[in-house]
């Protein structure tokens, strides 16, 4: 089958374009990666390129040895993915040690996988382990309202989770584990990848202060929907804070406990603290 006709490739392109249409991908901002299923690798194997040279990932992900990923290219614009996917995307294969990759498809005008490859792969490694292989998508976007909040809220997991939960009733149901926050760090390297992967042990969402967000999920819809829900809630909170520093009413800790009961989710008590008046 033509690689571009494979469903996972089409779904990847649609999700990338949906993110662009949300305004989350100015210039070359953001990146997306998908861990292929074994049957998807077999489907496209006859059309993969001959193996090129191995390149260092810049970190170790032994838990992903031999896996294939569809990823966005470094410096490529999300705007252009739907226009020319073979220029903007790549399928990479990892070696048997999880320290190197090689390009097996795409980037036909040259280039490298996303500059955030260490964070993507370290997140994939954590999520593959703790979800028994269910999670396959890692998504990074420059979500405007969530970024704005990192200038006015304390960079604290409990505060961010609670404020986002309070801003839209669906939030605790969509991300019951909460969100993690990474203070400002230089992007693109191993240090920010390690910090983000640590948070991914506990959360499906990691916010990078003054930069953007990472989400992990089982498939394209769930991962995009998670990012969309967090960002929508952040937008509401930005509007609230733009009107007034003080909410007159809100969703209370007791309300959250009722919601958890009726929707059959577990909401950790650490996020249901009593606020100082
Ligand atoms: O330019 O978003 O974090 C791609 C990025 C880097
Ligand atoms: Zn970024």
């Amino acid at each position: 089958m033509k690689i571009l006709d494979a469903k996972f490739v089409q779904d990847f392109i649609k999700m990338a374009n949906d993110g662009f249409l949300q305004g989350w991908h100015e210039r070359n901002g953001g990146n997306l990666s998908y861990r292929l299923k074994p049957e998807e690798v077999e489907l496209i194997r006859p059309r993969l390129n001959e193996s090129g040279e191995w390149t260092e990932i810049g970190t170790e992900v032994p838990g992903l040895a031999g896996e294939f990923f569809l990823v966005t290219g470094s410096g490529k614009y999300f705007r252009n993915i739907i226009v020319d996917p073979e220029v903007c995307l790549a399928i990479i294969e990892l070696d048997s040690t999880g320290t190197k990759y090689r390009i097996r498809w795409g980037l036909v005008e040259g280039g490298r996988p996303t500059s955030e490859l260490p964070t993507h792969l370290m997140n994939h490694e954590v999520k593959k382990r703790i979800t028994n292989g269910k999670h396959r998508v890692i998504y990074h976007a420059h979500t405007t309202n969530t970024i704005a909040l990192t200038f006015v809220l304390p960079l604290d997991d409990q505060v961010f989770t609670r404020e986002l939960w309070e801003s839209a009733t669906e939030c605790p149901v969509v991300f019951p584990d909460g969100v993690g926050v990474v203070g400002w760090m230089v992007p693109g390297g191993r240090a920010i990848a390690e910090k983000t992967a640590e948070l991914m042990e506990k959360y499906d969402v990691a916010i990078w202060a003054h930069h953007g967000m990472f989400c992990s999920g089982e498939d394209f819809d769930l991962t995009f929907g998670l990012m969309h829900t967090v960002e929508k809630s952040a937008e509401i909170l930005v509007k609230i804070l733009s009107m007034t520093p003080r909410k007159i009413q809100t969703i209370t800790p007791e309300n959250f406990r009722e919601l958890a009961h009726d929707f059959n989710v577990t909401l950790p008590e650490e996020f249901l603290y009593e606020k100082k008046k």
Side-chain angles (χ1 to χ4, degrees):
M1 147 177 279
K2 279 191 193 156
I3 290 182
L4 274 177
D5 291 342
K7 184 162 183 344
F8 73 92
V9 178
Q10 287 300 314
D11 289 349
F12 185 108
I13 293 168
K14 174 176 179 290
M15 172 164 164
N17 203 57
D18 285 345
F20 172 74
L21 294 173
Q22 289 295 324
W24 300 341
H25 298 286
E26 73 290 342
R27 204 171 180 276
N28 61 322
N31 21 80
L32 176 60
S33 64
Y34 171 74
R35 185 168 59 83
L36 273 68
K37 297 175 180 165
E39 62 269 28
E40 290 166 336
V41 178
E42 291 323 307
L43 198 69
I44 61 163
R45 194 181 285 281
R47 292 187 180 241
L48 291 173
N49 299 330
E50 281 305 305
S51 316
E53 70 206 52
W54 293 107
T55 305
E56 297 284 341
I57 297 166
T59 189
E60 303 93 54
V61 284
L64 300 176
E67 296 257 17
F68 285 73
F69 294 86
L70 176 59
V71 301
T72 48
S74 179
K76 304 299 184 196
Y77 291 23
F78 265 57
R79 170 71 188 92
N80 293 334
I81 291 175
I82 200 165
V83 178
D84 202 345
E86 289 172 286
V87 164
C88 298
L89 307 181
I91 291 175
I92 60 168
E93 175 188 11
L94 301 201
D95 75 348
S96 61
T97 65
T99 63
K100 297 185 179 66
Y101 71 85
R102 59 187 178 189
I103 297 172
R104 299 296 306 272
W105 175 84
L107 291 175
V108 292
E109 292 182 355
R112 284 176 289 117
T114 166
S115 61
E116 303 292 357
L117 192 64
T119 298
H120 277 262
L121 293 181
M122 290 187 83
N123 287 350
H124 275 293
E125 188 182 41
V126 167
K127 288 301 185 187
K128 181 186 171 190
R129 170 167 48 79
I130 66 181
T131 70
N132 282 324
K134 280 213 191 89
H135 277 212
R136 293 188 173 274
V137 181
I138 299 288
Y139 182 32
H140 168 57
H142 293 176
T143 41
T144 316
N145 295 282
T146 308
I147 296 168
L149 288 177
T150 65
F151 293 88
V152 300
L153 292 183
L155 300 176
D156 177 271
D157 299 3
Q158 294 188 349
V159 173
F160 261 82
T161 299
R162 175 65 173 275
E163 293 306 314
L164 290 168
W165 279 4
E166 272 186 41
S167 303
T169 296
E170 67 180 326
C171 286
V173 179
V174 176
F175 48 100
D177 298 331
V179 303
V181 185
V182 180
W184 190 87
M185 292 179 78
V186 177
R190 182 185 174 134
I192 197 167
E194 282 175 355
K195 180 74 200 154
T196 309
E198 208 177 285
L199 291 175
M200 284 289 175
E201 296 272 354
K202 183 169 176 193
Y203 308 111
D204 291 339
V205 181
I207 293 166
W208 280 3
H210 323 324
H211 184 146
M213 198 184 336
F214 268 87
C215 287
S216 173
E218 287 183 30
D219 60 27
F220 296 108
D221 276 350
L222 286 166
T223 313
F224 186 85
L226 176 58
M227 179 87 67
H228 204 182
T229 304
V230 173
E231 174 61 4
K232 173 75 180 276
S233 188
E235 182 180 352
I236 295 167
L237 185 52
V238 166
K239 288 182 196 292
I240 296 167
L241 294 171
S242 307
M243 289 186 280
T244 174
R246 197 176 60 88
K247 299 173 198 170
I248 294 184
Q249 57 272 324
T250 187
I251 308 170
T252 66
E254 205 35 52
N255 294 153
F256 285 123
R257 292 186 191 101
E258 291 168 42
L259 189 72
H261 178 266
D262 280 24
F263 280 78
N264 216 2
V265 290
T266 305
L267 299 179
E269 281 292 319
E270 65 171 303
F271 303 122
L272 303 182
Y273 51 86
E274 288 303 324
K275 293 189 186 175
K276 291 188 212 79
K277 288 267 167 19

